Amino acid sequence: MRKPYPPVNSALAGLWHGGDYNPDQWLDRPDVIDEDFRLFPLAGVNVVSVGIFSWTRLESEDGVYDFAWLDGIMDRLDRAGMKAILATPSGAKPAWMSQKYPEILRCAPSRVRDLHGGRHNHCYTSPVYRRKATEINTRLAERYKGHPALLLWHVSNEYGGECHCPLCQEAFRSWLKARYGGLDALNAAWWTDFWSHRYTDWSQVESPSPQGEGSVHGLAIDWKRFVDAQSLDFFLAESAPLRSITPGVPITVNMMGTYPGLNYWNWAPRVDVVSWDNYPQWHRSGDGAPARGDADVASYAAFLHDLNRSLKAGKPWLLMESTPSQVNWQPVNRLKKPGMHALSSLQAVAHGSDSVLYFQWRKGRGAAEKFHGAVVDHVGHEGTRVFREVAELGRELKGLAEVAGTAVRAEAAVVYDWETRWAIDEFFGFAKAERNYERACVEFHRALWRRSIACDVPNQDQDLDRYKLVAAPWLYMIKPGTAERLDRFVRNGGTLVLTFLSGMVNESDLCFEGGFPGPLRELAGVWAEELDPLWGGQANRAVPAKGNGLGLSGDYAVDSFCELVHPEGGAEVLATYGDDWYAGRPVLTRHRHGKGTVYYVAAKAEQRFTDDLMQAIARDLGLASAWEEKLPIGVNAQARSDGETDYVFLMNFTDEAAAGLPPFGCKVERRKAR
Ligand code: GLA
Ligand code: ZN
């Protein structure tokens, strides 16, 4: 049976199991490294990520390299039948380098330059840092080209953050010149006659800063675009030698979910496989916790996994980091309850991951991550609960090897768009407290997750024609081409769900004239005249119309955002406000457009409304659930398929036995593909 997708690297078929391994912290302890190699097979580990923060051990002074220790590890991995995900070390720079070349240190928005320390804080424009990174990467590639253990390049680590140094300011201006051509176009796009902010010379343009500009939203969004583009440019520069010297070795960068500082849609085409680091806050309750504890945490993790799968149009991805037990950076770092480790890991596989990888293999003795969970604890042996659970999962993953390369097929999608998030986070007005774009998208995704209906998470630039149902909540920014794509999708028979806060600004954050939702107005069949934000604790009601056709009945609570819309072009009103001076005006409309349908949700409704709406639409469209019988909330099914066999993962995220599973239990059923 041919798999829908080839392995990331055919040198290691099946599911990868392992994680970040830092022998460079133990070079004076060969006994510990010997122990690691005794323990790897006991844990069922077949791959480790090495060299992520090894720069000082690889280049102890400018131009003085030492690869002997890494040679030893790579050779030993090969002898053990294991593989290496080999990192480039640019995620943390040596002290000698910061001292010798201070330009590599980042400047904060205040323009104050960092001292040496921490990590993930180099200037991505600095020619010196680019040269140093390229030099060491060239040596790594030359040295390990053809090495039988070399499986995948892990370029840098969790790129992120921004630099406001003079070099970056200059690079920003060049980027703007390329985007706008002339200052007139920039001034127009940024609406700079506001507060007399017109620029008359390029040198006046500066990145946003608490000491300086914070009121020009076009600037703020272009700065984010620049930071993304410049970080990506740094990645391309440092990975160029890897591409040319080891063309057969795939490349990844480890991403961070919906991390707002980068737009991963620009990165995905530049890596061979998407990978990401997943740290859900399991077992959180009390202050600020998700409404339904682990069920909602699981639904959020599902959203992020689906996003990562969508970045390469469904191609399997890698869970690059996860913790075997607790982390060390959340306000409270709870242990995973028995069973949760396997469940959380298999959830990633169910959503398309071809790996379960950890941060970290072994706890270090000192510094910031000494209390971060690891496969091997300070006690040093395999007789721990965590090690046993990891080893047990290792055996299970071996038995699921055939799942690697299979596909998740989704007929529904919830759009999550980075640039829209930037614009929503940035604007002044309406209500601040409840303005959480990501949560809005998660709630629409959750409605389908609760019925175990597979869902992709594209951004607004993607082609949507392969879906039957698309929800695009809060699509505040409409970029060129988006309205046309959405229009085509609906005309050809698609069902689209839009909400309040849609179609308000263009890609420069300039408001559309002629009535919101701007270029979506005709498609949506509404004119959104006003938006009434509510204070915390204030609420209204959505009252479904009789015969709404969706089975909506009884009142639903709405709060925070109440838009006042006029149906147009024959749109029907399916629910109205129950209270306040706008009682009786539409909260939910339906507009037939071409062969398709557009629903418009004018207020921020409780989850139950979103569930009922999305599930009714999914039912009408005949969208398949991975599990036929209705499952209790917190029990979820997801399927991967090779076209012949479906692998159905049934997962219980509750602390009670349910659907034949123990608390935090998971099972995988093989079925004939439908
Ligand atoms: C990130 C980093 C790792 C480690 C973990 C801890 O994901 O990439 O190096 O610090 O967090 O959870
Ligand atoms: Zn800089």
Side-chain angles (χ1 to χ4, degrees), residues 391-556:
E392 175 56 36
L393 177 65
R395 281 188 287 275
E396 209 168 335
L397 293 174
K398 223 175 197 170
L400 290 172
E402 63 206 280
V403 171
T406 59
V408 173
R409 296 188 207 289
E411 296 178 312
V414 172
V415 172
Y416 175 84
D417 190 73
W418 256 266
E419 298 201 354
T420 296
R421 172 172 179 177
W422 291 344
I424 288 175
D425 285 351
E426 202 64 36
F427 76 70
F428 297 178
F430 306 119
K432 189 87 196 167
E434 295 301 321
R435 205 199 294 162
N436 188 331
Y437 171 67
E438 183 190 33
R439 191 177 63 201
C441 297
V442 170
E443 286 177 2
F444 276 84
H445 181 275
R446 175 168 297 153
L448 298 176
W449 181 84
R450 286 184 171 171
R451 280 287 168 275
S452 300
I453 295 168
C455 187
D456 282 350
V457 183
N459 76 347
Q460 70 170 282
D461 303 322
Q462 306 313 303
D463 194 5
L464 302 169
D465 293 344
R466 72 174 114 157
Y467 302 114
K468 290 184 178 160
L469 169 60
V470 173
W474 300 27
L475 200 58
Y476 171 75
M477 175 185 280
I478 304 294
K479 294 166 67 184
T482 298
E484 294 74 10
R485 253 192 316 281
L486 290 174
D487 190 79
R488 191 181 67 214
F489 165 71
V490 177
R491 274 186 194 286
N492 290 340
T495 299
L496 176 66
V497 181
L498 296 170
T499 72
F500 63 95
L501 269 189
S502 287
M504 298 181 91
V505 300
N506 71 5
E507 75 283 6
S508 300
D509 207 50
L510 294 176
C511 290
F512 290 114
E513 298 170 88
F516 299 139
L520 306 182
R521 180 168 167 181
E522 199 199 319
L523 171 70
V526 295
W527 168 35
E529 186 184 351
E530 294 182 274
L531 174 58
D532 189 22
L534 308 189
W535 289 94
Q538 295 181 335
N540 204 316
R541 288 177 299 135
V543 182
K546 287 210 170 56
N548 56 72
L550 292 167
L552 303 178
S553 67
D555 292 358
Y556 296 90

Side-chain angles (χ1 to χ4, degrees), residues 164 192 212 262 329 444 459 603 668:
H164 296 254
T192 53
L262 297 173
W329 47 264
F444 276 84
N459 76 347
V668 185

Side-chain angles (χ1 to χ4, degrees), residues 82-357:
M82 293 172 61
K83 298 290 172 197
I85 297 172
L86 185 55
T88 69
S90 67
K93 50 202 178 316
W96 62 257
M97 202 185 288
S98 302
Q99 193 174 44
K100 184 165 176 185
Y101 307 111
E103 72 162 61
I104 71 174
L105 297 165
R106 249 177 219 182
C107 287
S110 64
R111 314 305 193 241
V112 173
R113 202 178 280 278
D114 289 351
L115 300 176
H116 179 78
R119 62 170 180 176
H120 302 166
N121 53 11
H122 62 269
C123 169
Y124 36 66
T125 302
S126 157
V128 172
Y129 201 67
R130 285 179 179 222
R131 175 171 63 77
K132 292 305 297 170
T134 310
E135 280 172 7
I136 192 153
N137 293 357
T138 303
R139 282 176 167 77
L140 283 167
E142 290 289 1
R143 193 156 191 108
Y144 301 110
K145 143 179 99 185
H147 194 289
L150 177 57
L151 186 69
L152 172 72
W153 287 111
H154 177 299
V155 180
S156 201
N157 192 65
E158 293 190 339
Y159 285 114
E162 39 184 69
C163 178
H164 296 254
C165 80
L167 292 167
C168 287
Q169 301 294 344
E170 257 326 299
F172 181 41
R173 289 176 199 124
S174 307
W175 183 89
L176 290 169
K177 281 179 197 160
R179 184 174 174 89
Y180 292 105
L183 265 186
D184 285 348
L186 177 142
N187 279 311
W190 291 2
W191 204 253
T192 53
D193 283 312
F194 176 76
W195 290 353
S196 203
H197 281 21
R198 192 168 193 86
Y199 298 99
T200 53
D201 191 273
W202 285 103
S203 62
Q204 296 155 5
V205 180
E206 290 259 355
S207 63
S209 164
Q211 282 74 26
E213 194 55 85
S215 48
V216 178
H217 295 157
L219 162 65
I221 287 167
D222 275 342
W223 170 250
K224 287 178 197 291
R225 290 185 178 125
F226 163 76
V227 169
D228 176 65
Q230 195 71 349
S231 306
L232 181 59
D233 191 61
F234 178 87
F235 158 72
L236 293 175
E238 78 152 306
S239 52
L242 315 178
R243 288 265 180 237
S244 67
I245 300 166
T246 57
V249 180
I251 289 180
T252 195
V253 297
N254 52 335
M255 302 180 181
M256 299 180 277
T258 50
Y259 169 68
L262 297 173
N263 181 352
Y264 290 137
W265 285 97
N266 296 327
W267 294 66
R270 305 306 199 129
V271 298
D272 300 303
V273 57
V274 164
S275 68
W276 90 280
D277 301 345
N278 177 38
Y279 295 99
Q281 299 197 357
W282 300 122
H283 316 317
R284 180 173 166 189
S285 61
D287 193 32
R292 284 173 189 269
D294 286 325
D296 281 2
V297 176
S299 134
Y300 180 47
F303 172 82
L304 297 173
H305 292 328
D306 288 344
L307 166 61
N308 278 274
R309 188 186 63 248
S310 304
L311 284 173
K312 270 195 171 295
K315 191 173 172 182
W317 48 277
L318 297 173
L319 177 66
M320 185 57 82
E321 289 182 24
S322 60
T323 181
S325 55
Q326 62 202 153
V327 298
N328 67 332
W329 47 264
Q330 290 166 0
V332 174
N333 302 288
R334 293 217 60 181
L335 295 174
K336 286 176 175 168
K337 296 187 183 183
M340 183 44 97
H341 177 58
L343 175 61
S344 176
S345 303
L346 291 171
Q347 186 193 20
V349 177
H351 285 266
S353 175
D354 276 359
S355 72
V356 175
L357 302 169

Side-chain angles (χ1 to χ4, degrees), residues 382-398:
E382 66 272 39
T384 61
R385 178 182 77 99
V386 168
F387 193 98
R388 278 192 297 273
E389 289 204 23
V390 166
E392 175 56 36
L393 177 65
R395 281 188 287 275
E396 209 168 335
L397 293 174
K398 223 175 197 170

